[in-house]
């Protein structure tokens, strides 16, 4: 119940809340040789990642996470910042889902060879009155 309260502002009635995914998600991210995703947070309450690739389809990869107690980068400006060693690096088996708070800093580690397919969906639950609004305009209102 505490997790639901923290992420969605309530512990019950979640099934009545509206699901709103991040723009262009759900999606399948495809990482080829050298492919990676830099350190970031998702602008949603929850993120789900599921590895779709066969175990021998790629080398490297994985999702790195940093402790919420310290920033992933040192220095000013992401382009010039030095990235700290991750707190946790997950390399789950095919079909295994990883669910985490979108406020946690994470990155997609470099795929050294092959092709890695990762299902990704970041989302919020809320009680927005979408009416006839375009969901993308609601997304812009939630995350300016």
């Amino acid at each position: 119940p505490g997790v639901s309260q923290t992420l969605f502002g309530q512990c019950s009635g979640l099934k009545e809340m509206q699901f709103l995914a991040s723009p262009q998600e759900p999606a399948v991210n495809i990482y080829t040789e050298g492919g990676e995703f830099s350190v970031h947070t998702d602008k949603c309450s929850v993120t789900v990642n599921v590895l779709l690739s066969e175990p021998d389809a790629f080398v490297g990869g994985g999702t790195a996470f940093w402790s919420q107690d310290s920033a992933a980068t040192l220095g000013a400006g992401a382009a010039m910042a030095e990235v700290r060693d991750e707190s946790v690096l997950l390399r789950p088996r095919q079909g295994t889902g990883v669910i985490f708070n979108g406020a946690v800093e994470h990155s997609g580690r470099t795929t050294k060879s092959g092709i890695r397919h990762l299902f990704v969906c970041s989302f919020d639950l809320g009680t927005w009155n979408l009416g006839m609004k375009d969901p993308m305009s609601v997304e812009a209102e939630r995350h300016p």
Side-chain angles (χ1 to χ4, degrees), residues 35-144:
E36 61 185 18
F37 207 113
S38 62
V39 176
H40 66 284
T41 59
D42 299 323
K43 294 180 180 176
C44 291
S45 300
V46 176
T47 297
V48 177
N49 288 350
V50 180
L51 182 64
L52 302 176
S53 299
E54 296 284 338
D56 59 352
F58 66 95
V59 173
T63 303
F65 294 90
W66 284 264
S67 168
Q68 290 181 289
D69 296 332
S70 64
T73 56
L74 299 169
M80 299 301 288
E82 175 188 344
V83 177
R84 295 181 192 262
D85 288 339
E86 68 270 358
S87 300
V88 175
L89 176 61
L90 296 181
R91 290 189 172 122
R93 292 180 167 173
Q94 181 185 28
T96 300
V98 177
I99 301 172
F100 57 94
N101 180 331
V104 174
E105 287 186 306
H106 59 284
S107 71
R109 286 303 199 210
T110 305
T111 299
K112 296 181 183 194
S113 65
I115 302 175
R116 176 178 175 240
H117 295 84
L118 186 72
F119 170 85
V120 178
C121 184
S122 301
F123 67 92
D124 287 309
L125 293 179
T127 55
W128 307 282
N129 182 2
L130 297 179
M132 295 301 289
K133 279 188 173 181
D134 172 11
M136 298 304 269
S137 67
V138 173
E139 176 66 21
E141 290 172 15
R142 290 185 322 161
H143 307 293

